[in-house]
Amino acid sequence: HIGEVGDFLGQNVFVVGGFVRDLLLRQENFDIDVVVEGDGIGFAEEFGRRHGCRVRAHRKFATAVLVFPDGFKIDVASARTEYYLEPGALPTVETASIKLDLYRRDFTINTLAIAMNRAHFGELLDYFGGQSDLREKAIRVLHNLSFVEDPTRMFRAIRFEQRLAFQLGRHTEHLLKSAVRMGFLEKVSGPRVFNEMLLILREPDPLPAIARLDELGLLAYIHPRMSCRSEINRLLAAAKRTVDWYELLYTGEGCQRWQVFFLCLFSGLDESEVNQVLRHLGMPPRYAEFFGPERETVHRIVHQLEWRCSQRRNLSNSEVYRMLRELPIEALLYGMARTEHEEARRLMSHFVTHLRSVVSLIGGRDLQSMGLKPGPCYGEILNKLVAARLDGLVSTREDELRLVRR
Ligand code: CTP
């Protein structure tokens, strides 16, 4: 269908980038990027009319997003239409523009394109040796200034290298190291670096990539003392096991794995160093709150729990619940990974698997119908009911009603 619309409008249309790379690697990828030689927005509008898609156009970038009725999306971009082989020359034939568009990309493995127009349907365009680098499992830039033009590509290089189990080409690694040495990352805004870190920490197993970032001096850019050696490495491995364990539980509540890993990376830094990083990366306020004050809260609570466990007194379910209930799941998982106290870890995992989701069977409406005036006492009563349930003092609704009456 993409090709048909292109033929109708007299435009050459291609599927490009990550989708083609992953197709050749036989890896799943549902992010389809289309490049149109000509007006990409016009293409998207015509396609949308024919196939009932909504079109979100970004005129400034000459790009559009096609949104299908089921929510599926396709990104459409316009390749630059004019391409001068030499100053003052006439623009070359249109096919040169897809080539130029591909030349602006980060790595050779991302420069592959597949033609969609009927006359050339399915033809693979490989101008920069992308297929051969896929075969050699190599991440290579297209030209020497690639990391200088866009230093965030250093993070992307590591992400692809580790995700695909490829290796940086020798020359590319050399270019990356000199870009780090020459401090090109300083020119990149903190939020862009944060975004790249986020993408890395969201990979299924970010640990090898983190180690590689450290080795190449990229973690030190975030903070000179940020590293994943020795005990941080142990912590990260424990965090990975813990989040994997949690996801296997299928509690119905997701967890932001990247936050757990970021907490681990922060754990070698003190409070003021963490604040420096948060400012530097320009973290949105809700994350700044989580990694700042809330991190301190987790440390305090885990410490208290360890101390109480070491007193060798059995903690009741409701006591454990009261200590841990304020913590978001990411903080709990980090706490579990962090503690070296067997019993504290057991209690935290018991809280996650059994206690955390306990609620009372009666609610505000029941209290109202019992003639209680709504107010803060509702919260208190319901909390007491939860505590009673956690400690096995009530089991049915009747038990709870009876307890309230008392
Ligand atoms: N790109 C680039 N430089 C960047 C970011 C992106 O050259 N700093 C190019 C890449 O060639 C990439 C394309 O823009 O193919 C689209 O970017 P993105 O969607 O981030 O890349 P994917 O390859 O699709 O990555 P992923 O598999 O993680 O979605």
Side-chain angles (χ1 to χ4, degrees):
H1 295 317
I2 291 175
E4 264 169 35
V5 175
D7 285 342
F8 174 74
L9 296 173
Q11 294 171 323
N12 292 327
V13 189
F14 307 88
V15 171
V16 301
F19 180 82
V20 182
R21 174 197 71 216
D22 290 342
L23 189 70
L24 294 179
L25 290 173
R26 296 189 169 73
Q27 296 206 0
E28 204 170 63
N29 186 334
F30 297 112
D31 292 335
I32 300 182
D33 289 303
V34 167
V35 169
V36 178
E37 283 186 330
D39 172 18
I41 294 180
F43 170 88
E45 282 166 348
E46 178 62 26
F47 188 97
R49 241 190 317 278
R50 292 184 182 206
H51 300 289
C53 304
R54 268 192 309 123
V55 178
R56 284 205 310 253
H58 306 283
R59 307 234 165 243
K60 193 169 149 210
F61 301 106
T63 59
V65 184
L66 283 167
V67 187
F68 286 76
D70 64 358
F72 188 77
K73 290 182 188 142
I74 293 183
D75 286 313
V76 179
S78 318
R80 205 185 288 166
T81 45
E82 285 165 6
Y83 175 46
Y84 299 90
L85 273 178
E86 55 201 42
L90 288 174
T92 56
V93 283
E94 281 192 320
T95 47
S97 69
I98 179 74
K99 185 171 177 182
L100 184 67
D101 188 281
L102 296 170
Y103 183 66
R104 286 203 235 102
R105 289 168 189 259
D106 49 4
F107 309 113
T108 59
I109 58 166
N110 289 335
T111 61
L112 295 164
I114 298 175
M116 289 288 117
N117 297 74
R118 183 189 291 268
H120 297 280
F121 187 81
E123 277 176 26
L124 184 70
L125 275 63
D126 180 7
Y127 295 112
F128 309 105
Q131 284 181 97
S132 122
D133 286 342
L134 280 180
R135 268 193 304 272
E136 286 181 32
K137 297 181 181 291
I139 308 289
R140 291 202 173 94
V141 289
L142 276 78
H143 55 81
N144 288 351
L145 293 179
S146 192
F147 292 127
V148 179
E149 272 172 18
D150 181 354
T152 62
R153 287 177 174 167
M154 298 192 240
F155 287 87
R156 292 176 59 87
I158 306 305
R159 177 155 58 91
F160 288 124
E161 184 190 55
Q162 298 305 318
R163 181 206 291 171
L164 304 173
F166 278 30
Q167 263 201 325
L168 295 184
R170 239 162 56 98
H171 183 57
T172 296
E173 182 159 341
H174 178 73
L175 292 171
L176 188 151
K177 283 179 175 162
S178 42
V180 172
R181 237 189 344 267
M182 291 165 78
F184 281 108
L185 266 174
E186 306 293 334
K187 295 199 193 354
V188 183
S189 73
R192 285 191 69 205
V193 172
F194 172 55
N195 189 47
E196 292 302 326
M197 277 304 283
L198 208 62
L199 293 173
I200 289 177
L201 298 182
R202 279 182 175 152
E203 292 282 327
D205 180 9
L207 271 48
I210 296 173
R212 192 80 165 113
L213 290 175
D214 199 11
E215 177 193 332
L216 293 167
L218 290 165
L219 279 189
Y221 165 78
I222 296 174
H223 192 281
R225 291 207 326 103
M226 186 176 275
S227 158
C228 68
R229 268 158 239 156
S230 58
E231 80 270 29
I232 309 283
N233 200 18
R234 183 206 68 81
L235 183 59
L236 282 163
K240 168 80 170 53
R241 282 194 300 275
T242 312
V243 291
D244 286 347
W245 163 81
Y246 177 74
E247 281 175 354
L248 281 177
L249 294 174
Y250 292 107
T251 59
E253 184 196 352
C255 97
Q256 303 284 328
R257 302 163 58 99
W258 69 270
Q259 295 188 358
V260 184
F261 295 124
F262 231 130
L263 280 173
C264 296
L265 286 174
F266 277 141
S267 81
L269 309 185
D270 67 27
E271 208 177 332
S272 83
E273 290 168 331
V274 169
N275 286 332
Q276 248 172 297
V277 175
L278 297 178
R279 267 198 309 278
H280 170 52
L281 296 186
M283 281 219 198
R286 65 204 146 113
Y287 297 148
E289 171 72 22
F290 178 74
F291 293 112
E294 227 172 294
R295 178 183 97 116
E296 298 301 317
T297 311
V298 191
H299 290 174
R300 200 189 66 242
I301 291 177
V302 171
H303 190 72
Q304 273 170 7
L305 189 66
E306 288 172 342
W307 183 80
R308 296 193 61 175
C309 287
S310 64
Q311 299 295 295
R312 301 194 178 281
R313 190 176 68 77
N314 279 343
L315 288 169
S316 69
N317 281 343
S318 63
E319 283 174 303
V320 174
Y321 182 88
R322 210 174 315 124
M323 290 180 82
L324 300 177
R325 70 169 179 191
E326 302 294 340
L327 297 179
I329 187 64
E330 292 80 9
L332 282 164
L333 297 175
Y334 165 69
M336 282 177 67
R338 191 180 154 84
T339 186
E340 287 181 26
H341 200 295
E342 220 30 73
E343 179 62 5
R345 185 176 318 115
R346 192 189 67 76
L347 289 176
M348 281 191 266
S349 79
H350 181 56
F351 174 77
V352 171
T353 50
H354 292 93
L355 311 183
R356 196 161 178 261
S357 55
V358 169
V359 286
S360 59
L361 296 184
I362 68 171
R365 202 168 298 159
D366 298 291
L367 298 182
Q368 220 168 349
S369 61
M370 291 170 82
L372 278 162
K373 249 222 306 270
C377 70
Y378 272 37
E380 275 166 43
I381 295 173
L382 296 176
N383 280 342
K384 286 207 172 118
L385 288 175
V386 170
R389 174 165 297 283
L390 287 163
D391 292 337
L393 303 175
V394 294
S395 64
T396 63
R397 241 179 86 82
E398 304 316 314
D399 291 344
E400 290 191 358
L401 290 169
R402 215 170 303 130
L403 192 64
V404 176
R405 280 194 207 101
R406 260 205 273 144

